[in-house]
Amino acid sequence: MATTDKKDYYGMLGVKKSASSEDIRKAFRKLARKYHPDVNPNDKKAEEKFKEISEANDVLSDPKKRKIYDQVGFYSDNIDAATADAYARGGGQPGAGGFRGGGSGGGQGQEVPFDFSNFDFGQAHGGGRGGGFRDIFGSMFGGGGGFSTHAGPEPGDDLEYQVSVTFWQAIRGAEMKLNIQRADEHGRMTTEPITFRIKAGTRDGQRIRLAGKGNPGRMGGPAGDLYLIMKIEGHPVFRREGDDIYVTVPIMPWEAALGAKVEVPTIDGRAQLRIPAGTQTGQKLRMREKGVKSATREGTTGDQIVELKIVVPQVPNVESKDIWHKLEKLHEGEDPRSELLRNSER
């Protein structure tokens, strides 16, 4: 009997055995977002679950590994394709026949049964101690001539992480640190700290590629890449769209009516803005090159768009009330709703 239980990789990802590569990819990404250590800090169960689904994805997303897993019931780096094929032809059961190795006595081959009673299944996926099927058949056939297959170098898998970035870090650029989980050369999941820099003006959703920071390659192949997707946090005053900055600025009725020069916030500090006479609520004024220095278009800077909002003051005393009544009499007969009412009757 096997010394360890076989793992149901399809069950771990919640897909059927007939699932396509795209189905497997989608299932893993959905579960990875749910159980990723960055989303579940200090949650050991989530960390273990993430390791399990990562292991399942590593095998099922690789056509060669998946075929071996489907044929044998588990995956080990010590099992080659020819061995797995022979095991499947033998019925997939311990003790089933299937190989005919070259005998020393004559021209007829001699049937060699599979007997896994002493095989250590614990060296499945990611085992690094040697042994397994390859060693068994190597001793049977004098080094395994004809039965082992050596795949060529294969690049490692790419990794993708979402990184939370503050509003000001994205505006000004920053050096950032992140702990990522990536496989080592033996296939074990490990945590590795990395340091990277984002450019000033980095946008929400922008991807940063760190070459060679993904999972290591196989058989001497190059490592995959690490892709970092920027998730920019909001700000209580400024709203960013591309390289433009939007801000709502309150003004008093007399500033709107008479015009004024007011102080407004920008991402580079305070600046003066001229309000034209007769300004209405919702009117937008553009401040050229007061936005974000572009991270993608060298030498260009966005604008700041200021939306004006007229604020009606409280009436704290009789004198103030009298002034408002005088204004009312001066504008007697004017109705700002007349056009609205006329158009509603058409």
Side-chain angles (χ1 to χ4, degrees):
M1 295 180 62
T3 60
T4 187
D5 292 335
K6 299 177 183 179
K7 297 182 179 180
D8 181 6
Y9 288 148
Y10 292 104
M12 289 178 184
L13 296 180
V15 296
K16 296 179 179 179
K17 192 173 181 180
S18 60
S20 66
S21 298
E22 181 65 14
D23 292 336
I24 291 170
R25 186 185 70 84
K26 288 181 179 179
F28 171 69
R29 288 198 172 189
K30 181 179 179 180
L31 291 170
R33 284 194 294 267
K34 180 178 179 181
Y35 293 108
H36 196 282
D38 288 349
V39 181
N40 304 276
N42 303 318
D43 187 335
K44 292 297 182 182
K45 290 185 178 180
E47 183 178 348
E48 288 302 316
K49 183 68 175 179
F50 183 76
K51 289 180 181 179
E52 288 180 358
I53 62 173
S54 296
E55 179 179 321
N57 180 66
D58 179 61
V59 172
L60 297 185
S61 63
D62 185 312
K64 295 179 181 178
K65 291 182 180 181
R66 183 178 179 181
K67 183 179 179 182
I68 291 173
Y69 174 78
D70 288 342
Q71 290 175 318
V72 180
F74 67 95
Y75 177 77
S76 170
D77 290 336
N78 296 319
I79 306 173
D80 57 37
T83 300
D85 286 340
Y87 178 58
R89 287 197 301 271
Q93 298 294 329
F99 276 124
R100 290 191 175 272
S104 58
Q108 292 294 324
Q110 180 180 7
E111 184 172 303
V112 180
F114 285 103
D115 183 1
F116 297 150
S117 59
N118 295 317
F119 181 75
D120 182 5
F121 284 84
Q123 298 180 52
H125 184 70
R129 300 193 305 271
F133 278 105
R134 194 166 295 166
D135 287 353
I136 291 173
F137 290 110
S139 61
M140 278 185 183
F141 301 106
F147 282 93
S148 63
T149 60
H150 298 284
E154 296 182 10
D157 296 326
D158 293 338
L159 298 178
E160 187 176 275
Y161 273 74
Q162 181 171 284
V163 181
S164 293
V165 182
T166 68
F167 178 85
W168 292 115
Q169 285 174 326
I171 294 290
R172 297 166 179 164
E175 184 175 270
M176 305 192 69
K177 295 181 180 179
L178 179 69
N179 289 326
I180 65 167
Q181 287 201 334
R182 62 194 296 267
D184 63 13
E185 63 272 17
H186 302 296
R188 297 185 292 255
M189 296 303 290
T190 61
T191 300
E192 177 182 328
I194 64 166
T195 301
F196 61 98
R197 182 157 193 86
I198 62 171
K199 293 177 63 176
T202 294
R203 295 187 179 187
D204 186 56
Q206 188 170 331
R207 294 209 316 169
I208 296 176
R209 173 177 170 263
L210 300 182
K213 291 296 184 179
N215 283 334
R218 293 171 286 275
M219 303 294 291
D225 297 331
L226 172 62
Y227 290 91
L228 304 176
I229 303 175
M230 301 297 105
K231 181 64 176 178
I232 311 300
E233 298 173 0
H235 190 275
V237 172
F238 302 111
R239 177 171 59 87
R240 182 178 174 186
E241 290 188 10
D243 294 329
D244 292 335
I245 293 292
Y246 287 75
V247 62
T248 299
V249 174
I251 58 174
M252 303 304 286
W254 48 87
E255 292 175 327
L258 304 175
K261 197 172 185 180
V262 300
E263 194 174 52
V264 299
T266 76
I267 60 173
D268 295 317
R270 299 179 181 184
Q272 296 290 317
L273 175 66
R274 186 174 296 279
I275 308 295
T279 291
Q280 303 296 316
T281 284
Q283 188 169 333
K284 294 181 175 65
L285 302 179
R286 184 180 296 271
M287 302 179 74
R288 298 286 181 185
E289 296 190 340
K290 289 294 184 181
V292 182
K293 288 182 173 59
S294 178
T296 57
R297 296 176 296 166
E298 195 69 31
T300 62
T301 303
D303 300 331
Q304 175 163 298
I305 312 300
V306 178
E307 181 176 344
L308 300 172
K309 179 182 179 182
I310 299 174
V311 177
V312 178
Q314 298 293 322
V315 182
N317 50 48
V318 175
E319 184 179 1
S320 297
K321 191 173 184 179
D322 289 341
I323 292 174
W324 284 107
H325 279 308
K326 288 179 181 179
L327 285 172
E328 182 183 19
K329 289 182 179 180
L330 286 172
H331 294 279
E332 190 173 0
E334 295 182 16
D335 185 356
R337 295 169 293 279
S338 59
E339 185 176 357
L340 174 68
L341 294 171
R342 282 198 306 272
N343 289 335
S344 69
E345 295 170 352
R346 289 181 179 177

